[in-house]
Amino acid sequence: METQPQSTSSEAAGPQLFESGSADGLLSRPDDVLVLSPAVTLTLAGNALLVSGSDKSARKSASKAHRVCGFGGPAHEQSPSSIDYYNILWAEVTEDLGHLRIDFAEQTGDHYLEAHNVAYAIDPPAPAESSGSISDAISSWVERLLDRSYGGAARRKRAWVLVNPHAGPGGADKVWHKQVKPIFDAARMPMTVVRTSYSGEAVTLAKDLNIDDYDIAIPCSGDGLPHEVFNGLAQRPDARRALSKIAVCHIPCGSGNAMSCNLYGTHRPTLAALAIVKGLPTPLDLISVTQGNKRTISFLSQALGMIADIDINTEHLRWMGASRFTYGFLVLAMQKKVYPCDIAIKVEIEHKDEVKGHYRQQITQASSGADEAAQKGGGVDGTRSAARQSQSSSPPPSDPDSDDGQGLPPLKYGTVMDKLPDGWQLVPYEKLGNFYCGNMAYMAPDMNFFSAALANDGLMDLVITNGDISLAKNIGLQLSIDSGHFFDSPLVMYRKVSAYRLIPRPQATKCCISIDGEALPYEPFQAEVHQGLGLTLSKKGVFDAPGPLNWDKVTNTDRLMA
């Protein structure tokens, strides 16, 4: 629906502001409508910028970065009639004061965005008018446009970008230069780009990073590079400050791409890039894993059993992409392999219905906190504060600026080398098929193993399954992940835990322990969670995952307690 200002005389000179009705049926504020010329009117409507008129001089083109890389359409394509605020990357008056330029991400495929811009001519002011006041009026309108476009997200985030050219099936360099960088350029994000050359390099780079120069870290890779960045930041003497200041993000270029799936609801690079531009700071639980005298930080998962063997032992099949996981599963499922071990667990929520209740409470609080932050604005610090305050039923994370030391928080339960903590009891699992502990929901696209996972509830989600089930049941169990019935399956033990110790028994064949997809020796290890120790960016302040089936339904217990 086009909107017209109350007065658009062709004799009017220069840009003007008018009060007008908007597309959502509400009366716009007087400064929501900008008349650039008799031919063009721009209106800040409910969810989008509306463009009315037919200015033949308006030029729509691919951004400069896209033109260099060969992307984008002809320079004289028709100007869009509306642009969603979420897709607007930047707006500004050109240096010659002759055009208002708007950069935006346009969907050009089912899962593909390109950076484009449109420039609208600004009528010169009449001699009697003040060009300064008109310039101020346009600047004020542009500021309102950017406020609506970014909400609680910080603009022009200073980015430290790491590109792993060997990630997944390869091609990360091409993805970065042709798909992702043009979107960041259009959003006017200052960037330092580093191309990694060997495994583990990002740990050293993050450890030595001047964190005051950046707001976010963006690995372009699989999930291995974010793991390295978290661990590099964790090894610093100011680890808590570094982990709470640098938001670790992810451009998916690997096989699993779990981090991107959870934060942005996609494993497509351009969609993830836009989500980072508009991302809300979100505190993230991190897990300390100790093995021997070594302490490793985990952001995604810890696994022993079939899942770990699939993850590690199919590394040589990276060229297959995500299909390597399916192949590895079928091989092990037919063997009905088991992984006997002894496990002690600090269980916090035992039963599945209680897990759903916890999820319902936390997701509601987190969502309302993010909405409030988006309405108030306030950038990184304001949104982080609101997100943390929304977790009122959980113990608060440690203050990274407190005087009790800046390194990693002390271990509440010691290490795997210490005596078993009081109250813990080792339980034998003779027929273990999978010990899988998750800090995020998706472990790969369409693989929502931990549907009740939350970004910062201070708990890990633990799944245990037996390995001696039939091939048919095992396949059915895997198919239930895609259908959303995995959580409720009677073959799945699902609990919320805060810590555990796992002692594997010797095996005749090679077995693996996987931490965020990285191999650890097949030896005892212990883990505990640190609430909100890390920081990332997400679309909504929560994981972009659907949760367990019927988590939002009122139960009989809820009715009785009401």
Side-chain angles (χ1 to χ4, degrees):
M1 174 181 177
E2 293 186 352
T3 61
Q4 298 295 331
Q6 293 180 343
S7 173
T8 56
S9 167
S10 61
E11 297 177 357
Q16 301 177 47
L17 297 172
F18 292 90
E19 182 173 319
S20 172
S22 70
D24 54 11
L26 301 175
L27 191 66
S28 298
R29 289 174 41 162
D31 50 357
D32 279 350
V33 181
L34 177 65
V35 180
L36 287 173
S37 69
V40 175
T41 300
L42 305 179
T43 302
L44 302 179
N47 297 309
L49 169 67
L50 302 184
V51 181
S52 59
S54 56
D55 181 7
K56 295 182 179 180
S57 67
R59 297 170 57 92
K60 176 192 169 210
S61 66
S63 68
K64 180 178 179 181
H66 270 294
R67 291 199 300 273
V68 170
C69 297
F71 276 75
H76 292 282
E77 289 183 3
Q78 184 177 359
S79 169
S81 60
S82 68
I83 309 173
D84 287 348
Y85 292 132
Y86 180 73
N87 290 65
I88 292 177
L89 303 170
W90 199 250
E92 63 187 7
V93 177
T94 56
E95 291 184 3
D96 62 3
L97 305 180
H99 290 82
L100 172 59
R101 169 175 164 155
I102 298 174
D103 291 80
F104 60 99
E106 182 173 51
Q107 188 162 345
T108 56
D110 289 342
H111 307 287
Y112 194 84
L113 300 171
E114 292 182 7
H116 287 267
N117 67 74
V118 61
Y120 299 102
I122 301 174
D123 267 9
E129 293 181 304
S130 167
S131 60
S133 63
I134 290 176
S135 176
D136 291 343
I138 297 177
S139 297
S140 176
W141 185 90
V142 167
E143 186 65 21
R144 286 176 55 75
L145 171 62
L146 291 174
D147 279 345
R148 294 202 183 193
S149 300
Y150 277 83
R155 307 176 200 169
R156 302 192 66 190
K157 295 178 277 286
R158 300 169 300 167
W160 182 54
V161 181
L162 297 168
V163 180
N164 176 10
H166 306 294
D173 278 326
K174 183 177 179 180
V175 168
W176 163 250
H177 285 290
K178 291 192 174 183
Q179 298 185 38
V180 177
K181 185 176 182 294
I183 292 176
F184 290 162
D185 283 337
R188 310 302 194 268
M189 284 173 49
M191 292 177 286
T192 299
V193 182
V194 178
R195 190 176 185 270
T196 62
S197 56
Y198 60 89
S199 177
E201 181 181 8
V203 175
T204 302
L205 294 174
K207 183 178 179 180
D208 297 334
L209 184 70
N210 185 347
I211 60 174
D212 291 320
D213 288 345
Y214 303 100
D215 303 307
I216 59 177
I218 309 178
C220 301
S221 63
D223 295 306
L225 212 55
H227 173 84
E228 291 187 18
V229 172
F230 277 121
N231 277 276
L233 296 175
Q235 291 180 18
R236 300 167 58 99
D238 60 346
R240 269 180 276 185
R241 177 171 179 263
L243 288 166
S244 68
K245 182 185 184 302
I246 301 296
V248 181
C249 305
H250 184 214
I251 292 295
C253 299
S255 301
N257 301 313
M259 189 174 189
S260 177
C261 292
N262 286 284
L263 299 176
Y264 322 125
T266 182
H267 62 286
R268 312 291 184 174
T270 58
L271 299 183
L274 178 58
I276 291 172
V277 170
K278 297 300 180 72
L280 297 175
T282 305
L284 181 68
D285 294 343
L286 296 176
I287 292 94
S288 282
V289 178
T290 62
Q291 192 174 55
N293 294 316
K294 183 178 180 181
R295 182 176 180 179
T296 302
I297 293 298
S298 170
F299 79 95
L300 181 60
S301 65
Q302 311 95 52
L304 179 147
M306 180 187 294
I307 295 294
D309 282 3
I310 292 171
D311 202 2
I312 302 302
N313 291 333
T314 62
E315 282 283 327
H316 64 291
L317 301 175
R318 282 179 175 271
W319 58 269
M320 295 176 63
S323 297
R324 70 182 174 101
F325 301 121
T326 302
Y327 167 79
F329 161 74
L330 291 173
V331 171
L332 292 179
M334 287 188 290
Q335 296 176 1
K336 297 176 68 172
K337 188 172 182 179
V338 295
Y339 303 79
C341 59
D342 299 298
I343 309 173
I345 306 170
K346 184 75 169 59
V347 178
E348 301 297 340
I349 305 176
E350 177 76 37
H351 303 292
K352 291 182 180 179
D353 57 344
E354 295 174 351
V355 171
K356 285 186 179 181
H358 171 79
Y359 182 87
R360 177 169 59 250
Q361 179 190 46
Q362 293 291 308
I363 204 71
T364 301
Q365 292 176 350
S367 297
S368 62
D371 289 343
E372 179 183 353
Q375 292 173 3
K376 291 182 178 180
V380 171
D381 293 334
T383 312
R384 181 196 301 138
S385 176
R388 278 182 172 157
Q389 289 173 8
S390 71
Q391 303 295 326
S392 57
S393 64
S394 302
S398 57
D399 181 0
D401 295 320
S402 64
D403 295 329
D404 61 351
Q406 292 293 312
L408 286 176
L411 294 170
K412 184 177 180 180
Y413 301 107
T415 76
V416 71
M417 305 293 289
D418 296 322
K419 178 183 175 183
L420 200 67
D422 292 339
W424 292 32
Q425 181 181 0
L426 281 175
V427 177
Y429 287 78
E430 304 296 339
K431 298 180 179 180
L432 181 78
N434 276 302
F435 178 97
Y436 205 11
C437 197
N439 192 46
M440 291 184 170
Y442 288 101
M443 294 295 109
D446 301 320
M447 299 187 71
N448 188 359
F449 271 99
F450 304 101
S451 55
L454 294 155
N456 47 45
D457 66 341
L459 299 172
M460 299 176 281
D461 289 43
L462 176 60
V463 164
I464 292 179
T465 63
N466 286 334
D468 61 344
I469 60 177
S470 68
L471 176 61
K473 286 186 176 180
N474 218 329
I475 292 176
L477 193 58
Q478 298 305 308
L479 293 176
S480 73
I481 300 171
D482 187 48
S483 67
H485 291 85
F486 181 79
F487 177 94
D488 293 309
S489 171
L491 298 173
V492 173
M493 180 184 294
Y494 195 115
R495 291 175 284 186
K496 288 273 188 178
V497 307
S498 57
Y500 63 84
R501 178 177 294 185
L502 192 153
I503 303 176
R505 300 179 194 169
Q507 292 271 22
T509 58
K510 180 183 178 182
C511 299
C512 301
I513 292 172
S514 170
I515 306 298
D516 297 350
E518 304 299 314
L520 260 64
Y522 198 70
E523 299 171 359
F525 68 98
Q526 183 164 307
E528 68 175 73
V529 65
H530 308 287
Q531 185 182 15
L533 178 63
L535 183 67
T536 186
L537 299 181
S538 67
K539 289 179 70 174
K540 306 172 185 176
V542 295
F543 289 151
D544 204 313
L549 285 180
N550 300 319
W551 68 267
D552 54 346
K553 303 297 183 183
V554 177
T555 65
N556 289 331
T557 301
D558 294 328
R559 293 189 183 96
L560 292 173
M561 296 298 292

mmCIF file of all heavy atoms in Angstrom, residues 20-54:
data_model
loop_
_atom_site.group_PDB
_atom_site.id
_atom_site.type_symbol
_atom_site.label_atom_id
_atom_site.label_comp_id
_atom_site.label_asym_id
_atom_site.label_seq_id
_atom_site.Cartn_x
_atom_site.Cartn_y
_atom_site.Cartn_z
ATOM 1 N N SER A 20 1.621 11.383 8.214
ATOM 2 C CA SER A 20 0.900 10.557 7.248
ATOM 3 C C SER A 20 0.443 9.278 7.897
ATOM 4 O O SER A 20 1.014 8.835 8.889
ATOM 5 C CB SER A 20 1.815 10.233 6.057
ATOM 6 O OG SER A 20 1.225 9.308 5.205
ATOM 7 N N GLY A 21 -0.559 8.645 7.342
ATOM 8 C CA GLY A 21 -0.951 7.318 7.776
ATOM 9 C C GLY A 21 0.073 6.318 7.266
ATOM 10 O O GLY A 21 0.625 6.474 6.195
ATOM 11 N N SER A 22 0.333 5.267 8.042
ATOM 12 C CA SER A 22 1.311 4.265 7.633
ATOM 13 C C SER A 22 0.619 2.981 7.250
ATOM 14 O O SER A 22 -0.575 2.815 7.454
ATOM 15 C CB SER A 22 2.316 4.001 8.770
ATOM 16 O OG SER A 22 1.691 3.323 9.825
ATOM 17 N N ALA A 23 1.424 2.043 6.721
ATOM 18 C CA ALA A 23 0.859 0.812 6.179
ATOM 19 C C ALA A 23 0.239 -0.066 7.247
ATOM 20 O O ALA A 23 -0.568 -0.926 6.952
ATOM 21 C CB ALA A 23 1.942 0.029 5.437
ATOM 22 N N ASP A 24 0.636 0.109 8.516
ATOM 23 C CA ASP A 24 0.064 -0.747 9.542
ATOM 24 C C ASP A 24 -1.210 -0.150 10.139
ATOM 25 O O ASP A 24 -1.720 -0.624 11.142
ATOM 26 C CB ASP A 24 1.090 -1.004 10.664
ATOM 27 C CG ASP A 24 1.639 0.288 11.237
ATOM 28 O OD1 ASP A 24 1.089 1.362 10.921
ATOM 29 O OD2 ASP A 24 2.614 0.219 12.006
ATOM 30 N N GLY A 25 -1.730 0.882 9.534
ATOM 31 C CA GLY A 25 -2.988 1.451 9.974
ATOM 32 C C GLY A 25 -2.847 2.464 11.098
ATOM 33 O O GLY A 25 -3.831 3.026 11.556
ATOM 34 N N LEU A 26 -1.629 2.677 11.563
ATOM 35 C CA LEU A 26 -1.412 3.637 12.632
ATOM 36 C C LEU A 26 -0.937 4.959 12.056
ATOM 37 O O LEU A 26 -0.306 5.012 11.004
ATOM 38 C CB LEU A 26 -0.363 3.092 13.618
ATOM 39 C CG LEU A 26 -0.705 1.751 14.274
ATOM 40 C CD1 LEU A 26 0.463 1.292 15.125
ATOM 41 C CD2 LEU A 26 -1.972 1.869 15.108
ATOM 42 N N LEU A 27 -1.234 6.038 12.757
ATOM 43 C CA LEU A 27 -0.811 7.351 12.302
ATOM 44 C C LEU A 27 0.670 7.526 12.584
ATOM 45 O O LEU A 27 1.129 7.356 13.708
ATOM 46 C CB LEU A 27 -1.606 8.436 13.020
ATOM 47 C CG LEU A 27 -1.462 9.854 12.450
ATOM 48 C CD1 LEU A 27 -2.075 9.915 11.054
ATOM 49 C CD2 LEU A 27 -2.147 10.860 13.364
ATOM 50 N N SER A 28 1.442 7.806 11.553
ATOM 51 C CA SER A 28 2.874 7.991 11.716
ATOM 52 C C SER A 28 3.158 9.297 12.430
ATOM 53 O O SER A 28 2.392 10.255 12.349
ATOM 54 C CB SER A 28 3.566 7.999 10.350
ATOM 55 O OG SER A 28 3.398 6.777 9.688
ATOM 56 N N ARG A 29 4.288 9.346 13.095
ATOM 57 C CA ARG A 29 4.757 10.614 13.649
ATOM 58 C C ARG A 29 5.104 11.549 12.504
ATOM 59 O O ARG A 29 5.446 11.090 11.400
ATOM 60 C CB ARG A 29 5.987 10.365 14.511
ATOM 61 C CG ARG A 29 5.682 9.641 15.803
ATOM 62 C CD ARG A 29 6.935 9.285 16.548
ATOM 63 N NE ARG A 29 7.939 10.363 16.514
ATOM 64 C CZ ARG A 29 8.964 10.434 17.369
ATOM 65 N NH1 ARG A 29 9.106 9.500 18.276
ATOM 66 N NH2 ARG A 29 9.835 11.400 17.284
ATOM 67 N N PRO A 30 5.052 12.852 12.743
ATOM 68 C CA PRO A 30 5.366 13.790 11.650
ATOM 69 C C PRO A 30 6.728 13.546 11.018
ATOM 70 O O PRO A 30 6.888 13.710 9.809
ATOM 71 C CB PRO A 30 5.302 15.152 12.347
ATOM 72 C CG PRO A 30 4.354 14.951 13.482
ATOM 73 C CD PRO A 30 4.581 13.544 13.958
ATOM 74 N N ASP A 31 7.713 13.122 11.841
ATOM 75 C CA ASP A 31 9.044 12.929 11.275
ATOM 76 C C ASP A 31 9.266 11.511 10.762
ATOM 77 O O ASP A 31 10.388 11.119 10.464
ATOM 78 C CB ASP A 31 10.130 13.302 12.289
ATOM 79 C CG ASP A 31 9.916 12.642 13.647
ATOM 80 O OD1 ASP A 31 8.900 11.945 13.809
ATOM 81 O OD2 ASP A 31 10.770 12.818 14.538
ATOM 82 N N ASP A 32 8.193 10.705 10.635
ATOM 83 C CA ASP A 32 8.327 9.378 10.045
ATOM 84 C C ASP A 32 8.299 9.431 8.523
ATOM 85 O O ASP A 32 8.703 8.479 7.865
ATOM 86 C CB ASP A 32 7.182 8.471 10.518
ATOM 87 C CG ASP A 32 7.431 7.900 11.905
ATOM 88 O OD1 ASP A 32 8.555 8.052 12.406
ATOM 89 O OD2 ASP A 32 6.495 7.314 12.486
ATOM 90 N N VAL A 33 7.765 10.508 7.961
ATOM 91 C CA VAL A 33 7.588 10.605 6.513
ATOM 92 C C VAL A 33 8.547 11.663 5.964
ATOM 93 O O VAL A 33 8.551 12.804 6.418
ATOM 94 C CB VAL A 33 6.136 10.976 6.160
ATOM 95 C CG1 VAL A 33 5.968 11.054 4.644
ATOM 96 C CG2 VAL A 33 5.176 9.958 6.750
ATOM 97 N N LEU A 34 9.356 11.253 5.006
ATOM 98 C CA LEU A 34 10.337 12.152 4.405
ATOM 99 C C LEU A 34 10.029 12.295 2.919
ATOM 100 O O LEU A 34 10.047 11.313 2.165
ATOM 101 C CB LEU A 34 11.750 11.590 4.594
ATOM 102 C CG LEU A 34 12.895 12.381 3.962
ATOM 103 C CD1 LEU A 34 13.030 13.756 4.614
ATOM 104 C CD2 LEU A 34 14.208 11.611 4.067
ATOM 105 N N VAL A 35 9.720 13.515 2.491
ATOM 106 C CA VAL A 35 9.490 13.801 1.081
ATOM 107 C C VAL A 35 10.791 14.358 0.510
ATOM 108 O O VAL A 35 11.166 15.492 0.775
ATOM 109 C CB VAL A 35 8.343 14.808 0.889
ATOM 110 C CG1 VAL A 35 8.125 15.075 -0.593
ATOM 111 C CG2 VAL A 35 7.063 14.293 1.533
ATOM 112 N N LEU A 36 11.478 13.503 -0.269
ATOM 113 C CA LEU A 36 12.758 13.920 -0.830
ATOM 114 C C LEU A 36 12.577 14.823 -2.036
ATOM 115 O O LEU A 36 13.420 15.675 -2.327
ATOM 116 C CB LEU A 36 13.573 12.692 -1.234
ATOM 117 C CG LEU A 36 14.168 11.878 -0.081
ATOM 118 C CD1 LEU A 36 14.805 10.610 -0.618
ATOM 119 C CD2 LEU A 36 15.181 12.681 0.705
ATOM 120 N N SER A 37 11.479 14.602 -2.747
ATOM 121 C CA SER A 37 11.181 15.374 -3.949
ATOM 122 C C SER A 37 9.703 15.166 -4.243
ATOM 123 O O SER A 37 9.046 14.322 -3.619
ATOM 124 C CB SER A 37 12.038 14.890 -5.123
ATOM 125 O OG SER A 37 11.632 13.592 -5.516
ATOM 126 N N PRO A 38 9.152 15.914 -5.185
ATOM 127 C CA PRO A 38 7.748 15.664 -5.544
ATOM 128 C C PRO A 38 7.503 14.236 -6.009
ATOM 129 O O PRO A 38 6.379 13.750 -5.991
ATOM 130 C CB PRO A 38 7.494 16.668 -6.677
ATOM 131 C CG PRO A 38 8.481 17.761 -6.445
ATOM 132 C CD PRO A 38 9.698 17.089 -5.890
ATOM 133 N N ALA A 39 8.578 13.535 -6.408
ATOM 134 C CA ALA A 39 8.404 12.190 -6.962
ATOM 135 C C ALA A 39 8.624 11.072 -5.944
ATOM 136 O O ALA A 39 8.222 9.941 -6.190
ATOM 137 C CB ALA A 39 9.349 11.993 -8.140
ATOM 138 N N VAL A 40 9.271 11.343 -4.810
ATOM 139 C CA VAL A 40 9.657 10.276 -3.882
ATOM 140 C C VAL A 40 9.297 10.646 -2.452
ATOM 141 O O VAL A 40 9.662 11.716 -1.960
ATOM 142 C CB VAL A 40 11.172 9.980 -3.958
ATOM 143 C CG1 VAL A 40 11.572 8.960 -2.898
ATOM 144 C CG2 VAL A 40 11.540 9.473 -5.331
ATOM 145 N N THR A 41 8.594 9.720 -1.793
ATOM 146 C CA THR A 41 8.268 9.836 -0.374
ATOM 147 C C THR A 41 8.689 8.559 0.331
ATOM 148 O O THR A 41 8.384 7.456 -0.132
ATOM 149 C CB THR A 41 6.762 10.054 -0.167
ATOM 150 O OG1 THR A 41 6.358 11.254 -0.828
ATOM 151 C CG2 THR A 41 6.428 10.169 1.318
ATOM 152 N N LEU A 42 9.404 8.691 1.423
ATOM 153 C CA LEU A 42 9.848 7.555 2.218
ATOM 154 C C LEU A 42 9.130 7.586 3.564
ATOM 155 O O LEU A 42 9.125 8.612 4.244
ATOM 156 C CB LEU A 42 11.357 7.602 2.443
ATOM 157 C CG LEU A 42 12.237 7.704 1.181
ATOM 158 C CD1 LEU A 42 13.711 7.761 1.570
ATOM 159 C CD2 LEU A 42 11.986 6.532 0.252
ATOM 160 N N THR A 43 8.536 6.446 3.952
ATOM 161 C CA THR A 43 7.736 6.383 5.174
ATOM 162 C C THR A 43 8.226 5.266 6.079
ATOM 163 O O THR A 43 8.389 4.119 5.639
ATOM 164 C CB THR A 43 6.252 6.133 4.840
ATOM 165 O OG1 THR A 43 5.785 7.173 3.977
ATOM 166 C CG2 THR A 43 5.412 6.130 6.107
ATOM 167 N N LEU A 44 8.456 5.587 7.352
ATOM 168 C CA LEU A 44 8.802 4.587 8.358
ATOM 169 C C LEU A 44 7.514 3.952 8.853
ATOM 170 O O LEU A 44 6.819 4.505 9.702
ATOM 171 C CB LEU A 44 9.575 5.233 9.516
ATOM 172 C CG LEU A 44 10.866 5.960 9.143
ATOM 173 C CD1 LEU A 44 11.504 6.570 10.380
ATOM 174 C CD2 LEU A 44 11.847 5.012 8.450
ATOM 175 N N ALA A 45 7.177 2.780 8.305
ATOM 176 C CA ALA A 45 5.947 2.084 8.672
ATOM 177 C C ALA A 45 6.228 1.103 9.803
ATOM 178 O O ALA A 45 7.276 1.162 10.452
ATOM 179 C CB ALA A 45 5.360 1.390 7.456
ATOM 180 N N GLY A 46 5.288 0.184 10.035
ATOM 181 C CA GLY A 46 5.404 -0.711 11.181
ATOM 182 C C GLY A 46 6.640 -1.584 11.167
ATOM 183 O O GLY A 46 7.432 -1.581 12.104
ATOM 184 N N ASN A 47 6.843 -2.359 10.088
ATOM 185 C CA ASN A 47 7.953 -3.292 10.021
ATOM 186 C C ASN A 47 8.875 -3.053 8.834
ATOM 187 O O ASN A 47 9.799 -3.831 8.617
ATOM 188 C CB ASN A 47 7.423 -4.730 9.935
ATOM 189 C CG ASN A 47 6.635 -5.134 11.165
ATOM 190 O OD1 ASN A 47 7.106 -4.969 12.280
ATOM 191 N ND2 ASN A 47 5.440 -5.658 10.954
ATOM 192 N N ALA A 48 8.602 -2.021 8.076
ATOM 193 C CA ALA A 48 9.383 -1.826 6.860
ATOM 194 C C ALA A 48 9.402 -0.360 6.465
ATOM 195 O O ALA A 48 8.553 0.433 6.873
ATOM 196 C CB ALA A 48 8.797 -2.668 5.716
ATOM 197 N N LEU A 49 10.388 -0.015 5.661
ATOM 198 C CA LEU A 49 10.459 1.291 5.014
ATOM 199 C C LEU A 49 9.638 1.223 3.737
ATOM 200 O O LEU A 49 9.852 0.338 2.901
ATOM 201 C CB LEU A 49 11.916 1.620 4.692
ATOM 202 C CG LEU A 49 12.147 2.824 3.775
ATOM 203 C CD1 LEU A 49 11.723 4.117 4.468
ATOM 204 C CD2 LEU A 49 13.614 2.889 3.345
ATOM 205 N N LEU A 50 8.688 2.141 3.584
ATOM 206 C CA LEU A 50 7.859 2.190 2.381
ATOM 207 C C LEU A 50 8.354 3.290 1.460
ATOM 208 O O LEU A 50 8.715 4.388 1.910
ATOM 209 C CB LEU A 50 6.398 2.450 2.743
ATOM 210 C CG LEU A 50 5.729 1.437 3.685
ATOM 211 C CD1 LEU A 50 4.266 1.791 3.863
ATOM 212 C CD2 LEU A 50 5.889 0.020 3.157
ATOM 213 N N VAL A 51 8.377 2.990 0.170
ATOM 214 C CA VAL A 51 8.812 3.946 -0.844
ATOM 215 C C VAL A 51 7.638 4.178 -1.785
ATOM 216 O O VAL A 51 7.137 3.242 -2.411
ATOM 217 C CB VAL A 51 10.019 3.420 -1.642
ATOM 218 C CG1 VAL A 51 10.467 4.455 -2.665
ATOM 219 C CG2 VAL A 51 11.158 3.041 -0.703
ATOM 220 N N SER A 52 7.178 5.400 -1.879
ATOM 221 C CA SER A 52 6.088 5.719 -2.802
ATOM 222 C C SER A 52 6.558 6.777 -3.786
ATOM 223 O O SER A 52 7.427 7.589 -3.479
ATOM 224 C CB SER A 52 4.856 6.219 -2.039
ATOM 225 O OG SER A 52 5.169 7.377 -1.294
ATOM 226 N N GLY A 53 5.977 6.751 -4.972
ATOM 227 C CA GLY A 53 6.395 7.663 -6.030
ATOM 228 C C GLY A 53 7.131 6.906 -7.115
ATOM 229 O O GLY A 53 7.376 5.699 -7.027
ATOM 230 N N SER A 54 7.523 7.617 -8.122
ATOM 231 C CA SER A 54 8.179 6.980 -9.267
ATOM 232 C C SER A 54 9.302 7.859 -9.778
ATOM 233 O O SER A 54 9.257 8.387 -10.868
ATOM 234 C CB SER A 54 7.171 6.721 -10.391
ATOM 235 O OG SER A 54 6.531 7.941 -10.761
#
